[in-house]
Amino acid sequence: MRLIDAVAALSARSFERLCRRRGVDLDERKRISLAEQAARQLAESFRAPDGLPAAAQSALRFLASHGQGATRKELGGGVLPLIERDVAFDVPDKPGHVAMPSAFRVQLVPSPGEDRASLRALLAVASD
């Protein structure tokens, strides 16, 4: 899932709340859409959430390694803190499915069991 797709799929009210909560500064005079402006700023300001409960950490790792996402039922209650912190979003056109945008997945530090040669793991530790 791309971050811009997740942001564009939000209702107008949810989009406004997300921008206000995350301090996204939008400029209607720019050539790119408001959703793309928001997605760029969210990706730039992403920091892996600290202090998550064990169930949320497990859901975070699962979503990071499964780009297509998962059902809320599969992830259990651990997905709720991720949704509240705007790390995971509902998948458009797939009711009950949640995914982590690729812009966030590549920024997470690899987990101990992850293949160190995988592209996602290598991108996460690359310098700017």
Side-chain angles (χ1 to χ4, degrees):
M1 165 193 277
R2 293 179 37 208
L3 182 55
I4 189 166
D5 296 335
V7 171
L10 294 173
S11 67
R13 185 176 179 199
S14 295
F15 179 73
E16 287 177 22
R17 275 189 277 145
L18 170 69
C19 291
R20 192 172 39 251
R21 186 172 56 244
R22 298 290 299 271
V24 172
D25 185 30
L26 302 174
D27 184 354
E28 294 193 16
R29 295 174 295 178
K30 289 188 176 180
R31 290 184 182 176
I32 61 175
S33 70
L34 297 178
E36 188 169 348
Q37 290 180 49
R40 287 181 180 189
Q41 290 181 43
L42 290 170
E44 289 173 4
S45 67
F46 176 73
R47 300 289 176 260
D50 294 328
L52 289 173
Q57 289 179 14
S58 176
L60 180 73
R61 290 291 164 208
F62 186 86
L63 289 174
S65 62
H66 293 82
Q68 72 279 5
T71 64
R72 286 178 180 248
K73 187 176 182 180
E74 253 182 300
L75 298 169
V79 75
L80 295 176
L82 302 179
I83 292 170
E84 290 171 356
R85 292 181 174 146
D86 306 312
V87 174
F89 294 86
D90 290 319
V91 178
D93 303 324
K94 277 188 153 183
H97 279 74
V98 177
M100 179 186 299
S102 56
F104 295 163
R105 287 196 332 260
V106 298
Q107 295 184 55
L108 290 175
V109 176
S111 63
E114 191 167 3
D115 177 13
R116 297 290 186 212
S118 73
L119 181 61
R120 196 195 77 69
L122 294 173
L123 284 173
V125 296
S127 67
D128 292 338

